Amino acid sequence: MAAPKVTSSATELDAAEREFVETMDALQEYLQLQARLQDQLKKGLMNLARAKYSMGPIGQAQYDMEMQASVRVAIKSGDENGGSSGGGGGAVEGANAPCSGTRYSFEIRKSPNAATARRPSPPPAAAAATMDRAKAAAEATPAAAAAVAEARGSKNVADEVAAADSVVRLSDLDLLDDDDGSGEDGGLSGEGGKEEEDEKELKVANEFLRRMRLLLGSDGGDGGGDGGSEGGDVAEVEWIRRVRRGGRNGGGGSDPLHWFGVLVPPALKDAQSGFSAALETCLLLANTAQRMGPLYHATSSAGAAEEGAAT
Amino acid sequence: MYGFEMMSYNIKDGFLEAIVRGHRSGLLTVADYNNLSQCETLDDIKMNLTSTDYGAYLANEASPIYTANIVEKCTLKLVNDWNYMRSQADETLAAFMDYCTYGHMIDNVVLIVTGTLHERDVQELLDKCHPLGMFDSIATLAVAQNMRELYRLVLVDTPLAPYFSENLTHEDLDEMNIEIMRNTLYKAYLDDFASFCQKLGGTTAEIMGDMLAFETDRRALNITLNSIGTELTREDRKKLYSNFGLLYPHGHNELAIAEDFDQIRSAMEKVPAYSGIFSKLGYGESQMLDKLLYEEEVKKCVDCFEQQFHYSVFYAYMKLREQEIRNIMWISECVAQDQKGRISDGIVYIF
C-alpha cells in the first residue's frame, strides 16, 4: 500500500498545525473549566444542604411566581460572510478558518435592577432583548445606528407605559388605603362616636369578606358561572392582586435570596454566590466549546479528504 | 414546692410521662447513625430506617425516594406521637404542650403570608405547613394585606393574638416587615412561655427556665449573625431580642452593635456558659457554629430526662426528635450528593 501523497503546501501545513495546537489548548481549557464547574456545583449544593440544616426545609414552594431573570445571555453570532445580524463578527477568531456553520459567542448581561422595568413585564423585557441584539448588531455595523435609535425609542415608550401604570396603581392603592385608614384609625384610636366606629369596622369587615369571596370564587369558578359577572369578578381579583403588588417595595428587581426570608443563614448567601459563579463558568465552557468545535470538524473533514485521496 | 410533685404528678400525668419516656428510648443511637452513614444510596437509608421507630412510616414509600420525602415521613411520626399525647393530656399539661407548638404556628403564619406575597396558591402553601402548628382559620391569612388586617381579621381568634402589640402598622407586608413580624412574635411567645413555666413552679420552672434561656440566646445570636449585611438597623435588631436569658441585658447591647462574626464572638464569650462553645471554633470560622449550638441544646434536653415528675420532658422530646430528623436530613443530603466525608460535620449524636 503506497503512503498517501502529500498534496498540501508548507504554509497550509503550518496553518493546520497552528489550528491543531489551538484546538488542543482549547480542549485543555475546556477540561479545566469542567473540573471547576463540578467543584462549584458541589460546593453550592453542600451550602444549600447546610442552609437547610440551619433554617429548616427550603424548596420550590418559596419561589416567587412573578420571578424575572436577573441575568441574561447575549448571543452574538459570527458568520464568516458577516451575515445579517452581523454582530461581533470580528470577535470570533474562526472568521478566517475553513469551517462550516456559524460560531457564537456568549456574554452575560445583568439586567438593571429597576422597578420601572418590571411592570408590565412583557413589553420591556422584549424591548430589552431586542435592544441587546440591536446593540450587538450596531457594534459591528455602524450603519445600523438607526436601528439602535429605534430600539432606544421603543424602550422609552415602554418606560412611559410602566410609569403610567404605576401611577394608576398608586391611585388605586390610595383609594384602598383611605378606606382602610379611616376605618382602622377610627376603630383603634377610639376617637369619634361609637356608631361611626362600628360603621367603619363593618365597612372594613365587609370589604374583607368581599375580597375573600372573590378570591375563593376565582379559584373555583373556572368551569361555570355567568360570563358577564365572572368577567367582572376576575377583573376585580386582578385589581386586588395589582393593588397588593403595588404596595411592595421596589417589586421584581429584588434579590431572589429574599424569597427565603430576610435573615437567611450565611450558608444560603454562599450558595447563591457559588451558583452565580457556576453560571459564569458555564458561559466560559460554552465559549471554549465554540473555539473547539469547528476546528474539530475541520481536522476530521481534512482527514477524511486525505483518506479519500489515498484510496 | 419541690419534692411534693412526687405525690400528685402521677394522678394526672403519669401515663403520658411513661409514654414519652418510651418514645425517647426509641431515638436513634450512635450505632444506628453509623449504619446510616455507610449507606450508598437513599434507598439504603430507607431500608436502614425501616428497622427503627420510623419503620411503619417509610416502609411503603415507593422508589425513587428523595430527601424531602424522608424528612416528611419522619416528621409525620413526631406529629402522630405528639397528637396522641396531646389528646390525652389533662389541663395544665395540655396548656404546656400547646405552648410548645406555638413556635410552629408562627412559622406557618409567616409561610402563608410570604407565599401569598409571591402569588402562590393557598392550597399548595397549606400542604407545606408544619402539622403541629395548624389552626382553623389559617387559610384566610391569604387575603390580609397589611399587619393590622392580619391581626384584626384572622389572628385575633388564635393563640397568637396576645403576641401582637397595639402599635400595629398600616404598612403593607413586604419581606422585611414579615421577617420583623416573625421575630417580634417569637420574642413575645418566648417571654410568655417563660412566665407560664415560672408560674408552674417546681422542677418544670427550673428546667424550662434554663432551656428557654438557651433558646432565646441562640435566637439572638442567629438574628445577629444573619442580619450582618442586610438592611436591618441596629435599633430594629435590638427590639427583636427577648427580655430574659443569660445575654439580657448587657450581652444584647453588645450584640446589637456587632457588625461581623468576631465582634459577635467577643460579645458571647463574656458569658461563661457560651465561652466553651466559642472556644471550639477557629478564629473567623462560623460554619460549625450551628452544630455546636445544637449539641448544647441536645445536652440540655438529655439531662432533662434525668429528673421525674415535670413537664419539660415533653418539650425535650420534641426538640430531640427534631434534631434527629435534622440528622437524618443531613445524612441523606450527604449521601445523595456523594459527599459522605461531610457527614460528621452535621450529625449531633443524642446518646
Side-chain angles (χ1 to χ4, degrees), chain A:
Chain A
M1 210 170 356
K5 256 161 92 176
V6 173
T7 48
S8 22
S9 70
T11 41
E12 280 180 21
L13 268 176
D14 277 341
E17 197 175 316
R18 254 200 314 274
E19 282 158 25
F20 178 69
V21 168
E22 269 178 42
T23 315
M24 288 295 112
D25 283 340
L27 182 60
Q28 186 181 18
E29 204 180 308
Y30 189 84
L31 291 173
Q32 284 170 344
L33 283 173
Q34 262 195 337
R36 203 204 305 179
L37 180 66
Q38 188 181 23
D39 204 37
Q40 283 170 335
L41 286 176
K42 259 193 159 170
K43 280 209 188 90
L45 288 171
M46 185 90 286
N47 278 327
L48 209 54
R50 214 185 266 287
K52 276 195 221 174
Y53 189 79
S54 303
M55 66 186 272
I58 47 184
Q60 296 190 13
Q62 277 140 313
Y63 287 2
D64 188 352
M65 295 307 270
E66 299 261 314
M67 64 169 95
Q68 285 208 308
S70 57
V71 171
R72 290 203 177 89
V73 174
I75 305 174
K76 298 180 197 171
S77 77
D79 251 352
E80 63 251 11
N81 300 325
S84 52
S85 66
V92 177
E93 316 85 82
N96 48 4
C99 63
S100 56
T102 47
R103 284 174 55 175
Y104 299 94
S105 73
F106 306 96
E107 208 182 292
I108 281 199
R109 297 278 167 85
K110 294 209 164 38
S111 295
N113 183 1
T116 50
R118 200 203 169 208
R119 299 177 211 99
S121 28
T130 47
M131 203 184 80
D132 277 347
R133 282 198 163 257
K135 217 160 89 172
E139 271 161 22
T141 48
V148 173
E150 187 196 341
R152 226 181 276 133
S154 73
K155 186 162 196 279
N156 281 341
V157 166
D159 275 349
E160 278 178 18
V161 170
D165 247 3
S166 55
V167 163
V168 164
R169 239 170 253 113
L170 269 172
S171 64
D172 282 348
L173 181 59
D174 284 342
L175 250 164
L176 189 65
D177 236 337
D178 278 342
D179 274 349
D180 269 2
S182 49
E184 302 287 353
D185 284 341
L188 284 184
S189 66
E191 290 170 5
K194 191 78 172 69
E195 300 92 36
E196 243 180 64
E197 277 176 33
D198 282 344
E199 252 181 55
K200 283 176 182 159
E201 283 199 20
L202 205 57
K203 211 162 133 192
V204 166
N206 278 336
E207 175 67 34
F208 174 75
L209 281 171
R210 188 177 63 87
R211 259 185 268 140
M212 228 170 72
R213 237 178 283 126
L214 281 175
L215 267 174
L216 290 172
S218 74
D219 283 337
D222 293 314
D226 348 305
S229 63
E230 185 156 302
D233 279 347
V234 167
E236 271 215 70
V237 167
E238 240 342 278
W239 172 79
I240 291 172
R241 288 209 170 113
R242 271 173 50 206
V243 166
R244 184 187 299 147
R245 258 189 271 137
R248 286 157 64 185
N249 303 342
S254 62
D255 192 356
L257 191 64
H258 292 182
W259 299 344
F260 303 97
V262 172
L263 300 178
V264 289
L268 201 60
K269 295 178 191 158
D270 288 340
Q272 187 188 39
S273 54
F275 286 130
S276 311
L279 179 64
E280 292 183 11
T281 312
C282 283
L283 268 288
L284 286 173
L285 268 169
N287 281 334
T288 313
Q290 290 295 307
R291 273 168 51 204
M292 269 173 52
L295 295 173
Y296 175 76
H297 286 125
T299 31
S300 62
S301 62
E306 281 193 359
E307 264 181 43
T311 51

Side-chain angles (χ1 to χ4, degrees), chain B residues 73-289:
Chain B
K73 292 300 167 203
C74 295
T75 313
L76 194 56
K77 168 164 172 54
L78 165 63
V79 169
N80 285 345
D81 290 346
W82 188 265
N83 285 335
Y84 176 83
M85 291 191 291
R86 172 66 184 82
S87 60
Q88 305 201 41
D90 214 341
E91 198 277 318
T92 330
L93 178 57
F96 181 87
M97 287 181 79
D98 284 340
Y99 264 104
C100 295
T101 60
Y102 291 163
H104 293 128
M105 213 181 272
I106 295 174
D107 288 337
N108 285 350
V109 167
V110 168
L111 182 71
I112 300 230
V113 172
T114 313
T116 313
L117 188 68
H118 292 151
E119 313 284 336
R120 300 207 69 109
D121 182 39
V122 177
Q123 263 317 114
E124 207 184 320
L125 296 170
L126 288 176
D127 290 333
K128 297 281 173 191
C129 283
H130 198 290
L132 285 180
M134 296 299 267
F135 52 93
D136 288 332
S137 45
I138 193 167
T140 52
L141 284 170
V143 208
Q145 294 212 17
N146 57 42
M147 248 178 276
R148 249 183 207 170
E149 253 177 55
L150 199 65
Y151 170 66
R152 299 187 70 221
L153 298 170
V154 187
L155 294 175
V156 69
D157 294 321
T158 64
L160 298 180
Y163 304 145
F164 278 86
S165 60
E166 269 312 305
N167 47 340
L168 290 165
T169 60
H170 242 315
E171 275 177 39
D172 270 351
L173 294 163
D174 70 356
E175 275 129 4
M176 179 59 93
N177 289 343
I178 292 177
E179 190 72 38
I180 292 183
M181 175 183 83
R182 180 217 297 263
N183 286 300
T184 314
L185 283 177
Y186 221 96
K187 166 190 169 174
Y189 153 63
L190 284 175
D191 287 345
D192 193 24
F193 196 4
S195 64
F196 173 75
C197 293
Q198 291 305 317
K199 269 196 290 232
L200 292 177
T203 326
T204 307
E206 183 198 341
I207 299 182
M208 282 307 293
D210 184 36
M211 293 216 278
L212 287 177
F214 179 76
E215 175 71 21
T216 190
D217 289 338
R218 182 158 64 95
R219 281 192 74 83
L221 177 59
N222 280 329
I223 288 174
T224 314
L225 200 55
N226 295 342
S227 63
I228 292 175
T230 65
E231 300 146 3
L232 193 67
T233 62
R234 286 178 182 180
E235 295 75 30
D236 281 339
R237 199 198 279 178
K238 190 128 185 268
K239 282 191 225 157
L240 300 179
Y241 299 146
S242 273
N243 296 329
F244 68 104
L246 294 176
L247 287 172
Y248 173 81
H250 307 293
H252 286 167
N253 291 338
E254 294 205 24
L255 276 183
I257 58 175
E259 292 297 334
D260 64 31
F261 182 67
D262 293 319
Q263 289 178 3
I264 294 178
R265 190 201 185 101
S266 61
M268 296 294 288
E269 277 178 342
K270 295 194 178 132
V271 180
Y274 303 136
S275 63
I277 299 179
F278 279 83
S279 64
K280 291 186 201 147
L281 278 177
Y283 204 63
E285 190 189 299
S286 66
Q287 289 107 336
M288 299 282 289
L289 184 61

Side-chain angles (χ1 to χ4, degrees), chain B residues 302-338:
Chain B
V302 169
D303 287 345
C304 160
F305 281 90
E306 300 291 319
Q307 293 204 46
Q308 271 185 290
F309 311 124
H310 61 96
Y311 293 154
S312 325
V313 287
F314 296 94
Y315 179 79
Y317 171 68
M318 182 194 265
K319 290 288 166 189
L320 288 174
R321 264 294 172 212
E322 285 177 351
Q323 181 57 41
E324 186 175 88
I325 294 173
R326 224 174 283 132
N327 286 343
I328 294 175
M329 184 275 293
W330 181 254
I331 296 177
S332 311
E333 285 279 342
C334 289
V335 163
Q337 292 179 27
D338 199 23

